[in-house]
């Protein structure tokens, strides 16, 4: 038959809508009363038709029907997520509504609950035909075949009447979208006026539906002869629920619980459903707050119906936290799973994280992860990532199979299935597609599972297999022919998250540092205590949205308060531990928490006998020499007046024996006196227009550079004069805002400290400091969590051009073979490097989702470190650790000196010293130069041999000698000392 006489997609959809409306046999309102914060009531369901409950809500909630509970939610239009199938008889009903909508909006609308009766065969036909129509729409090469089947089936109906009440309700609650003219009908006519529109003959409709269903089945079987499956796609239910984004943790807990009970209710009706759960913290919440629900989860995990993935405490930001934070995500996550379920996760799972450092493969593999699953690379805006399945090789050479799947919140529509397969670059292997409602929670819906039943073996589509992750993992881990990607997985979007949230990022850095110091000192002073509870607070703050400060102001403030409280407790415990351990007396004790000797500066109430000092307002700056990881005590007394090097201050300049720092009309210049060359030719601050086109709070777009203005220079003043430290105060203004930089130079030191005091009153403006260096700028190195990555200074392709703003943990170094300049930070982690100019993003001021972000008074510090040679020769990693871990001064101690641990090779860093989870002492070290390195590890216990274990402290890797401990480039070693 000519296509002119064949219903097209719109024609099929229109008739299906009329049939859906005609299938309504009756609608009754359900009266619910207020029962102590929830709505409750009962409903008598008659024994005719197919009964459903429909909850008319814009928002989200939990519907209880006798012993089963379901997630109900809607964005405000259509929504299979508001329908729940019920059986005849009397049922008790409860409805608990969330205080916010799907995305945290404040307005929840509840419009009523209805008992709806449908003609079963007609509705069954509409459902199946609608799913086939979606196939015809998604697959152009299948469209003609499926339209022909649908046309033949629809020909079996001769629908001659639909009542006005049926049309009215179908517009409100539909699976098939109504034509515009049906929606418009009730803008002109009241339902009571349309009395001539009457109910259809339900008996006739049922008979026609039976025949139409047979036509559909025959048509599909005939098509199966000509159309085989396109490939294989593994599917599984999931719900990506952000810990803190547009709602707070209290709402997240509701979403998690609602999702789990919804999944369990669906599993009773759809036994094929397999559900993936990530974020171990969520499981702990359920265990602690709803033991009965957790017991059901445990049973389903053991039976394989629920599969824990990720193995991490929460789905963390991977670029900005320190390496030890990433390790603790898996240490605490995997061990929780092992304790509660008898197994750890094999699948790494970070679908929404904003890029992945080249150090992550090693952390994943040493945490028991066999395959890594991510999605976010699909969001790239410059380059399309070339692989859906590949071998990802990290900076240390560790390789992990990685799946880059098409979406993390599929509805299992044919369009999504088509994309999952068409984007799959290794057709000899299965593709992967998780499905389920995220954000608002709920996970899979009944309609998604109906889609699975229809589509799993439908001709012309990829064959769908529910779950089967074990088989998929085995195939991926045994396929060495996969393409290989080396280095970081840089995300070409969301670059603003590196710099958002000044206070939050400072708190994260400080809590990370203090926690590691507290654990370390607890071990050496033999105070047995687990600090896992403090780590939980930190790790949850490092969830990708809180860490990126891409949350509402309420959520941001909630996270900041939690970090401040935890930091206060940690610092209190740290100081109490030191006072208790060092005893009381007349001495001042300086504690060094790093395993190499240091010369540093401390501010005290008194001078120390024989040590250089400088008087400040009400206190003294004292220069001290300390032992490696340990302490040295000094007697208060007359300071030394002899100095090999002093800081001199003249007008607008600071000078020691190494460097001369000048500020001329607001421009910073640094001359290296020893090397006789300019280190910084020009340092200045600019304010730039910051108006991203897609994700305001997340993004920095390359065009921010087009409209920039240097800040107005308001003057320079001398704040401190040597001999140990000289400081200049440099004042700037921009519109309503003020910036004050306090630039300090220390005696005998190459580090130039830049303290920033900002009163920021702008929106849609980015503040950045640029430093034009006196070098060519051959290379740029950036610290990543447990490693270092190289990035180009002169882009030569689109992949490199896209990296115009990049993350770094504590330091970045731009260098030539003979000279370089490093920048250290206390939480300012967004950088740009272009040839010999390095920029540090100081702050951003978006309006969504937090129009108050970084508004008002802010303080932060970074430092410049000009040095001869490259960053390795200059021991940049050690200097960056010193910048972030200042010496600790304890007054009124008993005296003495002690070294607990000493590491002689500057390439080897001690990152953690803690009590082992199963006993003993854990020492974690890593190689930071990218070279093969051996070192001697002297320790206070006199232990010369130990055992290597994985990051989970579970599996032995062999014996080690601490007299000669050798590491491969960027290798992480976890050492168990059994004493």
């Amino acid at each position: 038959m000519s296509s002119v006489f064949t219903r097209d997609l719109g024609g099929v959809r229109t008739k299906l809508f009329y049939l859906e409306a005609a299938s309504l046999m009756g609608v009754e309102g359900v009266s619910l009363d207020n029962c102590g914060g929830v709505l409750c009531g009962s409903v008598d369901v008659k024994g005719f038709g197919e009964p459903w409950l429909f909850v008319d809500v814009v928002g989200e909630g939990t519907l209880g029907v006798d012993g089963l509970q379901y997630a109900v939610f809607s964005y405000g239009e259509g929504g299979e997520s508001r329908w729940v199938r019920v059986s005849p008889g009397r049922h008790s009903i409860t409805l608990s509504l969330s205080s916010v909508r799907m995305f945290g909006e404040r307005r929840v609308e509840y419009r009523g609950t209805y008992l709806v009766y449908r003609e079963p065969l007609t509705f069954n036909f509409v459902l199946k035909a609608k799913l086939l129509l979606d196939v015809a729409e998604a697959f152009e090469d299948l469209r003609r075949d499926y339209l022909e089947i649908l046309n033949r089936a629809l020909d079996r109906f001769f629908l001659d009447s639909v009542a006005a009440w049926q049309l009215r309700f179908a517009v409100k609650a539909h699976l098939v979208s109504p034509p515009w003219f049906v929606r418009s009908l009730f803008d002109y006519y009241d339902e009571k006026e349309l009395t001539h529109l009457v109910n259809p003959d339900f008996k006739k409709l049922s008979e026609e539906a039976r025949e139409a269903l047979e036509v559909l089945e025959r048509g599909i079987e005939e098509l199966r002869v000509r159309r085989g499956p396109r490939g294989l796609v593994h599917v599984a239910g999931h719900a990506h629920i952000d810990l803190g984004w547009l709602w707070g943790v209290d709402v997240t807990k509701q979403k998690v619980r609602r999702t789990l009970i919804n999944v369990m209710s669906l599993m009773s009706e759809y036994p094929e459903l397999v559900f993936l759960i990530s974020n171990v913290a969520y499981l702990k919440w359920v265990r602690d707050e709803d033991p009965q629900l957790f017991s059901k989860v445990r049973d389903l995990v053991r039976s394989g119906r629920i599969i824990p993935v990720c193995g991490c405490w929460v789905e963390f930001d991977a670029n900005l936290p320190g390496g030890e934070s990433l390790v603790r995500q898996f240490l605490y996550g995997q061990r929780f799973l092992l304790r509660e379920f008898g197994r750890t996760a094999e699948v790494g799972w970070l679908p929404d994280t904003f890029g992945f450092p080249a150090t992550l493969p090693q952390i994943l593999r040493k945490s028991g992860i066999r395959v890594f699953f991510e999605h976010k690379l699909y969001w790239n805006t410059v380059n399309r990532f070339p692989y859906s399945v590949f071998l990802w090789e990290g900076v240390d050479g560790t390789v992990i199979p990685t799946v880059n799947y098409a979406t993390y919140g599929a509805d299992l529509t044919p369009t999504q299935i088509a994309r999952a397969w068409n984007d799959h670059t290794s057709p000899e292997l299965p593709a992967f597609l998780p499905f389920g409602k995220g954000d608002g929670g709920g996970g899979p819906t009944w309609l998604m599972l109906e889609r699975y039943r229809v589509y799993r073996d439908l001709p012309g589509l990829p064959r769908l297999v529910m779950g089967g992750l074990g088989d998929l993992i085995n195939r991926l881990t045994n396929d060495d022919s996969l393409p290989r990607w080396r280095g970081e997985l840089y995300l070409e979007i969301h670059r603003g998250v590196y710099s958002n949230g000044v206070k939050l990022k400072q708190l994260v850095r400080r809590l990370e540092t203090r926690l590691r110091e507290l654990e370390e000192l607890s071990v050496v002073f033999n105070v047995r205590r687990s600090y896992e509870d403090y780590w939980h607070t930190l790790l949850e703050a490092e969830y990708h949205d809180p860490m990126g400060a891409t949350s509402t102001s309420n959520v941001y403030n909630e996270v900041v308060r939690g970090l401040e409280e935890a930091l206060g407790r940690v610092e209190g415990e740290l100081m109490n531990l030191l006072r208790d351990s060092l005893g009381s007396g007349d001495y001042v004790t300086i504690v060094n928490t790093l395993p190499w000797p240091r010369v540093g500066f401390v501010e005290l109430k008194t001078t120390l006998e024989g040590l250089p000092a400088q008087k400040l307002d009400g206190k003294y700056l004292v220069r001290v020499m300390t032992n490696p990881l340990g302490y040295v005590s000094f007697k208060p007394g007359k300071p030394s007046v002899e100095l090999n090097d002093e800081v001199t201050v003249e007008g607008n300049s600071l000078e020691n024996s190494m460097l001369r720092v000048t500020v001329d009309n607001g421009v910073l210049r640094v001359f290296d006196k020893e090397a006789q060359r300019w280190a910084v030719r020009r340092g200045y601050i600019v304010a730039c227009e910051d108006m991203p086109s897609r994700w305001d709070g997340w993004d920095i777009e390359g065009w921010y550079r087009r409209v920039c203005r240097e800040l107005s220079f308001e003057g320079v003043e001398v704040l401190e004069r040597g001999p140990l430290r000289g400081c200049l105060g440099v004042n700037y203004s921009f519109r309503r805002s003020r910036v004050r930089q306090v630039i300090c130079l220390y005696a005998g030191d190459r580090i130039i400290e830049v303290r920033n005091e900002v009163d920021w009153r702008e929106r849609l403006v980015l503040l950045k400091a640029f430093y034009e260096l006196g070098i060519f700028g051959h290379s740029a190195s950036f610290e990543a969590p447990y490693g270092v990555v190289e990035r180009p200074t002169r882009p030569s392709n689109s992949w490199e051009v896209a990296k115009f703003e990049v993350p770094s943990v504590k330091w970045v170094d731009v260098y030539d073979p003979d000279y370089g300049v490093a920048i250290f930070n206390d939480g300012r982690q967004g950088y740009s490097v272009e040839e010999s100019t390095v920029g540090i993003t100081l702050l951003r001021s978006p309006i969504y989702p937090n129009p108050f972000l970084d508004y008002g008074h802010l303080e932060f510090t970074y430092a410049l470190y000009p040095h001869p040679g490259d960053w390795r020769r200059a021991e940049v990693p050690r200097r960056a650790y010193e910048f972030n871990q200042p010496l600790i001064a304890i007054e009124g101690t008993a005296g003495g000196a002690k070294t607990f641990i000493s590491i002689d090779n500057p390439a080897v860093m001690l990152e953690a010293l803690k009590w082992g989870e199963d006993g003993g002492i854990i020492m974690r070290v890593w190689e930071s130069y990218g070279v093969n390195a051996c070192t001697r590890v002297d320790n206070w216990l006199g232990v010369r041999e130990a055992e290597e274990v994985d990051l989970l402290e579970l599996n032995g890797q062999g014996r080690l000698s601490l007299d000669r401990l050798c590491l491969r480039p960027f290798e992480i070693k976890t050492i168990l000392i059994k004493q």
Side-chain angles (χ1 to χ4, degrees), residues 672 675 677-679 750 775 814-821 866-869:
D672 192 320
R677 63 185 294 169
W678 287 105
R750 286 185 159 275
I775 60 176
V814 185
Y815 61 98
D816 293 341
D818 62 332
Y819 199 86
V821 177
H867 56 80

Side-chain angles (χ1 to χ4, degrees), residues 916-935:
E917 300 297 309
D918 301 315
I921 295 169
I922 290 293
M923 180 188 303
R924 190 153 24 251
V925 298
W926 66 287
E927 196 288 315
S928 65
Y929 283 14
V931 299
N932 289 294
C934 296
T935 190

Side-chain angles (χ1 to χ4, degrees), residues 588 590 600-604 608 620-624 886-889:
V588 175
I590 308 300
F601 299 84
V602 292
E603 293 186 4
L604 301 171
L608 300 181
Y620 297 90
L621 181 71
V622 181
R623 184 181 182 186
V624 297
L887 298 169
I888 302 171

